[in-house]
């Protein structure tokens, strides 16, 4: 049963709504330039905080893993990324990142095993990675997609197959995928010698802007990345541990422009949403083909 929050307190369109790790708090953001935090208890919710500071529409909010504290990131049209932290019931803005020169479209926290890292994708074509360590924030910023970066998604901290293979356990990998207005999906790895992220793969196939990318959390057999595009297709890219540099894709075709892709927690069901206001759920069958198992229409 869906719970509807009708009295959101926002004065304009809501762009994102995210529950924290425990499902007890909801953060929302809006064109009214604010972020709001709600306490959720069963069927009830109450507004506990309104966070102000952005100079334009706030596109996205994201909670860090609770082991780093009550930390929330927000980003928006003003090109700024704010990190908010709650201590003793008081919210404070603990870091402002203002090096992007255009809208920051999405932010994504890394798996907690890799550290407290936030990747940000901007319309200025750059991607930045903010890192909280030794009680201070550091950043890296680099060009990713010439005419705009629209999406970013981290890989699992453990590479597929490594849990079941013999030998020493891997250290947590710092790796993510981005999608851009150049129609490409790119994979980035931390280069420890250069101390920055370098593009190790460029996956071509989409015929229009890539609006979203989602790296599946599954670590059992293969790596899966889903990408949603303005070209009305989703591509599901897979790579095998035996040949990790080779990525193959399967195409799912739709009747509408596609906006978002999201994996289930176990990584075996993919949700796709698009301009027709439908959400479809997809699963891979034993033949390796993707089947639509459910359509949700409001």
């Amino acid at each position: 049963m869906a719970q509807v929050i009708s009295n959101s307190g926002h004065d304009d369109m809501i762009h994102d709504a995210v529950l924290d790790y425990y499902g007890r708090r909801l953060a929302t953001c809006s064109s009214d330039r604010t972020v709001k935090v709600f306490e959720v208890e069963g069927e009830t919710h109450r507004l506990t905080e309104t966070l102000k500071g952005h100079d334009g529409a706030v596109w996205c909010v994201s909670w860090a893993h609770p082991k780093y504290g009550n930390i929330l990131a927000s980003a928006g049209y003003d090109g700024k990324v704010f990190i908010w932290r709650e201590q003793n019931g008081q919210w404070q803005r603990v870091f402002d990142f203002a090096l992007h020169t255009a809208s920051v479209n999405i932010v994504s926290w890394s798996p907690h095993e890799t550290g407290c890292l936030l990747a940000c994708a901007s319309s200025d074509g750059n991607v930045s990675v903010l890192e909280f360590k030794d009680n201070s924030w550091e950043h890296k910023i680099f060009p990713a997609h010439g005419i705009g970066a629209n999406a970013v998604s981290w890989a699992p901290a453990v590479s597929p197959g490594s849990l079941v293979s013999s030998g020493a356990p891997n250290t947590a990998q710092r790796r993510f995928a981005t999608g851009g207005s150049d129609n490409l999906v790119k994979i980035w790895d931390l280069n420890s010698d250069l101390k920055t992220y370098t593009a190790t793969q460029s996956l071509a196939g989409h015929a229009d802007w890539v609006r979203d990318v989602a790296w599946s959390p599954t670590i059992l057999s293969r790596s899966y990345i889903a990408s949603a595009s303005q070209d009305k297709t989703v591509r599901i890219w897979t790579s095998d541990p035996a040949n990790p540099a080779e990525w193959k894709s399967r195409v799912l075709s739709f009747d509408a422009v596609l906006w978002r892709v999201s994996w289930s927690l176990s990584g075996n069901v993919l949700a796709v949403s698009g301009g027709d206001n439908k959400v479809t759920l997809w699963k891979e069958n034993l033949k390796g083909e993707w089947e639509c198992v459910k359509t949700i229409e409001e």
Side-chain angles (χ1 to χ4, degrees), residues 228-240:
S229 170
Q230 198 81 12
D231 68 8
K232 302 182 181 177
T233 69
V234 165
R235 281 181 178 257
I236 298 175
W237 310 83
T238 55
S239 101
D240 211 287

Side-chain angles (χ1 to χ4, degrees), residues 212-275:
D212 198 19
V213 289
W215 202 310
S216 169
T218 181
I219 51 173
L220 293 178
S221 54
R222 292 187 290 174
S223 293
Y224 292 86
I225 299 171
S227 56
S229 170
Q230 198 81 12
D231 68 8
K232 302 182 181 177
T233 69
V234 165
R235 281 181 178 257
I236 298 175
W237 310 83
T238 55
S239 101
D240 211 287
N243 192 359
E246 185 188 357
W247 288 83
K248 297 173 181 166
S249 74
R250 286 189 176 262
V251 180
L252 313 179
S253 296
F254 294 79
D255 297 327
V257 167
L258 299 171
W259 292 100
R260 299 298 298 267
V261 276
S262 178
W263 294 97
S264 61
L265 286 177
S266 57
N268 65 338
V269 179
L270 178 70
V272 179
S273 64

Side-chain angles (χ1 to χ4, degrees), residues 169-190:
N170 297 6
T171 53
Q173 60 172 0
R174 294 187 175 187
R175 194 171 204 214
F176 58 83
T178 58
S181 300
D182 54 6
N183 309 351
L184 296 174
V185 173
K186 291 184 179 180
I187 296 173
W188 303 81
D189 285 279
L190 181 64

Side-chain angles (χ1 to χ4, degrees), residues 5-287:
I5 296 181
S6 50
N7 54 336
S8 71
H10 284 295
D11 300 327
D12 208 332
M13 182 181 280
I14 296 171
H15 298 292
D16 202 7
V18 187
L19 286 165
D20 73 354
Y21 180 83
Y22 299 109
R24 292 202 286 262
R25 284 183 167 175
L26 177 74
T28 59
C29 62
S30 161
S31 284
D32 68 8
R33 306 180 178 190
T34 70
V35 173
K36 291 185 185 284
V37 180
F38 297 85
E39 295 279 346
V40 180
E41 289 169 19
E43 295 295 301
T44 64
H45 59 274
R46 63 186 175 89
L47 177 64
T48 56
E49 193 67 64
T50 299
L51 306 175
K52 296 176 180 175
H54 282 287
D55 298 321
V58 188
W59 301 134
C60 59
V61 281
S62 186
W63 295 94
H65 190 275
K67 85 178 199 186
Y68 299 111
N70 290 332
I71 294 177
L72 185 64
S74 63
Y77 184 74
D78 59 6
K80 296 187 174 85
V81 179
F82 292 153
I83 308 290
W84 311 83
R85 187 173 198 171
E86 187 208 35
Q87 282 179 302
N88 305 322
Q90 297 291 314
W91 283 94
Q92 280 182 314
R93 207 162 89 204
V94 293
F95 187 65
D96 295 12
F97 185 70
L99 291 187
H100 286 291
T101 56
S103 173
V104 177
N105 299 314
I106 198 78
V107 293
S108 173
W109 292 101
S110 68
H112 66 90
E113 300 91 339
T114 61
C116 189
L117 300 156
L118 183 75
C120 319
S122 169
S123 293
D124 65 7
N126 293 326
V127 164
S128 56
V129 178
L130 314 183
E131 180 175 7
F132 182 64
K133 67 174 187 188
D134 305 327
N135 230 20
S136 67
W137 291 89
E138 300 171 4
H139 74 270
K140 303 180 194 319
I141 186 166
F142 43 90
H145 298 272
I147 49 175
N150 301 324
V152 59
S153 178
W154 289 86
V158 180
S159 52
S162 58
L163 289 185
V164 290
S165 64
S166 56
N170 297 6
T171 53
Q173 60 172 0
R174 294 187 175 187
R175 194 171 204 214
F176 58 83
T178 58
S181 300
D182 54 6
N183 309 351
L184 296 174
V185 173
K186 291 184 179 180
I187 296 173
W188 303 81
D189 285 279
L190 181 64
N191 183 319
S192 44
D193 298 333
L194 300 174
K195 293 191 166 50
T196 189
Y197 292 84
T198 52
T200 51
Q201 293 280 335
S202 185
L203 307 178
H206 283 297
D208 208 333
W209 289 18
V210 178
R211 287 284 184 188
D212 198 19
V213 289
W215 202 310
S216 169
T218 181
I219 51 173
L220 293 178
S221 54
R222 292 187 290 174
S223 293
Y224 292 86
I225 299 171
S227 56
S229 170
Q230 198 81 12
D231 68 8
K232 302 182 181 177
T233 69
V234 165
R235 281 181 178 257
I236 298 175
W237 310 83
T238 55
S239 101
D240 211 287
N243 192 359
E246 185 188 357
W247 288 83
K248 297 173 181 166
S249 74
R250 286 189 176 262
V251 180
L252 313 179
S253 296
F254 294 79
D255 297 327
V257 167
L258 299 171
W259 292 100
R260 299 298 298 267
V261 276
S262 178
W263 294 97
S264 61
L265 286 177
S266 57
N268 65 338
V269 179
L270 178 70
V272 179
S273 64
D276 56 3
N277 294 334
K278 285 182 194 168
V279 176
T280 50
L281 304 182
W282 298 77
K283 276 182 102 162
E284 188 179 22
N285 66 20
L286 294 174
K287 296 179 189 165

